[in-house]
Amino acid sequence: MPVRYLPLRRVTLALLPLYPVLAIGGAVTHRPALALAALLLLVTLWMLPRLLAGAARAWLGWGAAILVMLGMASIGLAGGLLDAVPLIILAGLALWFGSTLRAGREPRVARFIRVLEGEAQLAQPGVARYARGVTVFWTALLALQALVLAGLLAHRLLLVGPLPPWALIYQHVGGYLLIPLAFGMEYAFRRWHLRHIHHSGLRAQALQMMRRWPQLLHDTDRHP
């Protein structure tokens, strides 16, 4: 069956586990080709909906990304570029959460509650205050993770020495796994702290968040 007829979510979930395998394999064996393959996989999965739609700009951007990656590899920076990917992702997420903590903005988690569970849930006693606190928590956790990965990247770029295997695994896998782990722990605390209100199950919340992710990204602020 052609890939374009498969649900994009299924294609992404099937191919995404190849990323840490290629990334860690390239770092351990010092083979730039594996690092390039990991980078190409990430870029392709990110742009896949627009590529399959035949968008000319997407194909031009995809081709330009390949040229940039090949150029970086030609000067020996393919591995460093790959190591920067999780750092950029986590730093971007920290900024995404933290930017909504400014005065006059709706905290990111409050927006999640409003979109996923409705205005009435957000208006429950203590919910809005808790949502702001959780937004602070995610901002701090993601920023700390980005700092740890920045230290590992500096270790590589300054040629201090090769990273041990556990550090490579943490760099390309552990940093991402911490997010669902922290989500589960926060959910358990939320059910205890806000036990006076109804909570959907953890699996139901995760599935709903995936289904409504575009709306969570583009929904506008509700200013206090």
Side-chain angles (χ1 to χ4, degrees), residues 12-170:
T12 301
L13 291 177
L15 294 178
L16 194 56
L18 290 175
Y19 161 73
V21 175
L22 293 169
I24 296 172
V28 171
T29 63
H30 305 288
R31 293 182 179 178
L34 293 179
L36 283 175
L39 285 169
L40 179 59
L41 177 66
L42 281 183
V43 171
T44 302
L45 291 179
W46 176 51
M47 303 181 70
L48 189 58
R50 287 165 289 175
L51 291 172
L52 293 180
R57 289 186 179 181
W59 281 101
L60 288 173
W62 187 73
I66 292 177
L67 292 176
V68 170
M69 287 187 286
L70 290 174
M72 297 290 286
S74 68
I75 57 177
L77 293 180
L81 181 61
L82 179 62
D83 290 345
V85 169
L87 166 61
I88 293 171
I89 291 174
L90 291 173
L93 286 173
L95 180 62
W96 189 59
F97 276 92
S99 64
T100 63
L101 292 172
R102 298 195 304 265
R105 296 290 305 275
E106 179 182 46
R108 186 70 61 188
V109 175
R111 181 183 303 187
F112 281 15
I113 295 172
R114 175 167 57 80
V115 172
L116 298 177
E117 303 183 66
E119 299 278 1
Q121 185 80 339
L122 186 59
Q124 292 275 7
V127 173
R129 181 179 179 182
Y130 179 80
R132 182 174 182 83
V134 176
T135 303
V136 173
F137 164 76
W138 279 113
T139 301
L141 178 66
L142 292 166
L144 180 60
Q145 281 292 97
L147 286 174
V148 171
L149 295 183
L152 295 176
L153 181 59
H155 185 282
R156 177 189 180 94
L157 295 179
L158 295 176
L159 301 178
V160 176
L163 292 173
W166 66 264
L168 292 172
I169 294 173
Y170 182 80

